[in-house]
Amino acid sequence: MSELDVGSRVELTVGPVAHGGHCVARHEGRVIFVRHALPDEVVIAEVTEGGEGSRFLRADAVQIIEASADRVAARCPVAGPGGCGGCDLQHVSLPAQRQWKATVIAEQLRRLAGIEREVIVEPLADDDGFTYRTRVDLAVDEEGVAGLRKHRSHDVLPVDGCPIAVPEISTEIARLTPKRHPDVGVISLAHTSTGETSVRERLRGWHTDGGGLLTEVVPTPNGQVRLTIAEDSFFQVHRDAPRAFVDAVLEAAQVRPGERVLDLYAGVGLFSVPLALAAGGDGQLVAVESDPAATGLLADNLADTPQAVALAGRVDDLFGVARPKPKGRRRGGGRGRTWVPARSPLMPPSADVVVLDPPRSGADRHVIGAVTALRPRRIVYVACDPAALGRDTGYLRDGGYEMGELRAFDAFPQTHHVECIATFERAAD
């Protein structure tokens, strides 16, 4: 058996796609995760991580011997092997990208939740998968050079634009990258639906305060919603995603006037405000967010909907469920949980509809248990990671809820990322 180390090159026949933007190949019984490849291609791959004793290797396809019919030329000069870590699918045609993502979602649901589901990834409004991104962070190295991070590295690659960014941001990148930026760690760029373009330099090692305020306007079935956000606020990066996701969540939730709705991981209120309007003056909307800056903006954005309240705090804390222990601190045979906080009296004992949009890691088994204990008639889960969706779908099934409609959106073209919105209802007793 030939040993492979970083820098080794080997000819591979590429296998199926896998979660994370790579394909699976095998060499003499060893698994190799190959980026910049497509299924059934024959490639020369260069090992980038791993070696003797590693469970698996990572590699880049640096030469294509037999190309797939779905292969296209990347539009960005730093999108290939050794380049930027952002656009890992620029070598794949747009229809094949969407099929790639659909395959990954279906595989994660099958493996983690025991569900067989045909998945279709829907496009959003963009220019063939380019010029859609409204937020970009430029890293700045010790020499003051600004650019994009190299894949799985702290190295900075200077660029003169970004083909997936909206033109206003590409123009700013071209203006900023020839200059030196001493003492700066990150330059955050944002372009809003109202035409504002923000450029914020964050000093190296300094805590961020959220930055200045921006305005986003989101069209909804109940009229336009104006949201105040901070320059550092989390907000969907595809210019069409806020509209599409609000429409999909409202359609999935089917909130009736007078109902109680719980919006978990609410951010600045992208879903909270439309959900509160759907519940009406006789209903109630409880929005939960842990980030202090986002919570203040959430309360401001809900100010015109008196039926809504913003709760500041972690979702698990407010539900009174045990936090998971931080990694590396499980000593003495512990079960992986730490202290159990008291349930907040402000959390409702029941809800008609629950919407949750957790971070990439998912909502956690104990939070899902607290949600199902509310006995909502509908749960709407917004997921940016298919593996987290698969795991939490399994927990929801354990709690008596079955997945109904599942919609997947190509909110991050040219990358392996995808957004899903799933509806769950109580299984028949």
Side-chain angles (χ1 to χ4, degrees):
M1 177 182 294
S2 59
E3 190 56 57
L4 296 178
D5 294 302
V6 173
S8 299
R9 294 195 172 193
V10 61
E11 182 176 315
L12 299 172
T13 298
V14 180
V17 301
H19 180 42
H22 42 250
C23 296
V24 180
R26 294 182 183 273
H27 175 71
E28 297 182 350
R30 300 194 71 183
V31 172
I32 305 178
F33 293 114
V34 187
R35 297 179 81 241
H36 309 294
L38 278 153
D40 301 321
E41 289 189 328
V42 179
V43 305
I44 300 297
E46 181 175 310
V47 177
T48 56
E49 291 183 41
E52 184 177 0
S54 300
R55 292 189 301 113
F56 58 85
L57 303 174
R58 297 183 185 273
D60 280 343
V62 294
Q63 181 182 342
I64 312 302
I65 298 174
E66 295 181 18
S68 165
D70 292 321
R71 178 172 285 274
V72 297
R75 191 175 295 187
C76 178
V78 297
C84 168
C87 292
D88 42 14
L89 297 187
Q90 267 199 40
H91 65 290
V92 185
S93 70
L94 201 54
Q97 288 183 36
R98 291 174 184 149
Q99 184 55 53
W100 178 311
K101 297 172 188 184
T103 299
V104 169
I105 296 166
E107 193 275 334
Q108 295 297 311
L109 289 174
R110 183 185 311 115
R111 184 173 66 87
L112 297 171
I115 292 177
E116 293 288 341
R117 181 63 64 96
E118 181 180 355
V119 179
I120 297 174
V121 176
E122 305 174 37
L124 297 182
D126 53 49
D127 183 15
D128 295 327
F130 291 95
T131 65
Y132 68 84
R133 191 176 180 96
T134 60
R135 280 156 178 78
V136 172
D137 279 352
L138 297 178
V140 182
D141 66 16
E142 298 289 345
E143 305 292 325
V145 175
L148 301 174
R149 290 282 189 199
K150 189 176 178 181
H151 178 62
R152 294 176 70 86
S153 169
H154 292 294
D155 294 344
V156 172
L157 299 170
V159 292
D160 58 6
C162 177
I164 67 170
V166 295
E168 293 84 354
I169 286 183
S170 270
T171 297
E172 290 298 328
I173 292 173
R175 180 181 69 83
L176 290 164
T177 51
K179 303 176 182 179
R180 286 290 191 269
H181 304 271
D183 302 321
V184 174
V186 176
I187 303 174
S188 294
L189 307 173
H191 184 74
T192 72
S193 55
T194 57
E196 299 172 274
T197 301
S198 165
V199 179
R200 183 171 183 233
E201 294 188 349
R202 289 183 277 171
L203 297 180
R204 192 181 308 277
W206 280 55
H207 176 71
T208 178
D209 60 1
L213 298 181
L214 304 171
T215 301
E216 290 281 2
V217 175
V218 182
T220 80
N222 295 322
Q224 288 190 337
V225 169
R226 295 181 68 87
L227 298 173
T228 300
I229 67 172
E231 289 176 309
D232 284 355
S233 291
F234 170 80
F235 206 73
Q236 293 294 338
V237 299
H238 193 296
R239 64 174 184 241
D240 189 42
R243 175 207 60 82
F245 294 173
V246 167
D247 284 355
V249 166
L250 289 178
E251 181 181 339
Q254 295 185 11
V255 175
R256 302 163 186 164
E259 287 194 315
R260 175 184 288 158
V261 183
L262 191 57
D263 185 16
L264 305 179
Y265 314 95
V268 298
L270 175 62
F271 301 134
S272 305
V273 177
L275 289 167
L277 294 173
D282 293 330
Q284 183 184 37
L285 183 285
V286 179
V288 179
E289 173 56 42
S290 62
D291 179 78
T295 304
L297 293 169
L298 173 63
D300 291 343
N301 289 327
L302 290 170
D304 292 334
T305 50
Q307 67 272 33
V309 61
L311 298 186
R314 288 172 50 122
V315 171
D316 49 2
D317 285 354
L318 295 179
F319 268 131
V321 303
R323 288 191 188 187
K325 283 186 179 179
K327 289 182 179 180
R329 294 189 182 181
R330 298 185 181 182
R331 297 175 11 181
R335 298 178 62 86
R337 313 299 294 182
T338 181
W339 64 283
V340 181
R343 192 183 197 279
S344 170
L346 299 177
M347 287 292 275
S350 64
D352 298 295
V353 176
V354 176
V355 175
L356 61 162
D357 183 8
R360 191 170 300 279
S361 57
D364 180 79
R365 180 194 298 271
H366 297 266
V367 168
I368 293 294
V371 168
T372 58
L374 299 173
R375 302 290 289 169
R377 63 175 181 82
R378 285 203 163 205
I379 298 171
V380 181
Y381 190 115
V382 183
C384 60
D385 183 82
L389 175 63
R391 286 192 299 270
D392 286 347
T393 295
Y395 301 150
L396 284 162
R397 297 190 78 190
D398 292 342
Y401 283 78
E402 293 292 338
M403 180 185 286
E405 185 179 25
L406 170 67
R407 298 182 67 183
F409 296 92
D410 196 11
F412 312 92
Q414 316 307 328
T415 83
H416 71 270
H417 299 291
V418 61
E419 197 88 5
C420 296
I421 296 177
T423 306
F424 295 85
E425 294 182 280
R426 284 199 301 269
D429 295 330

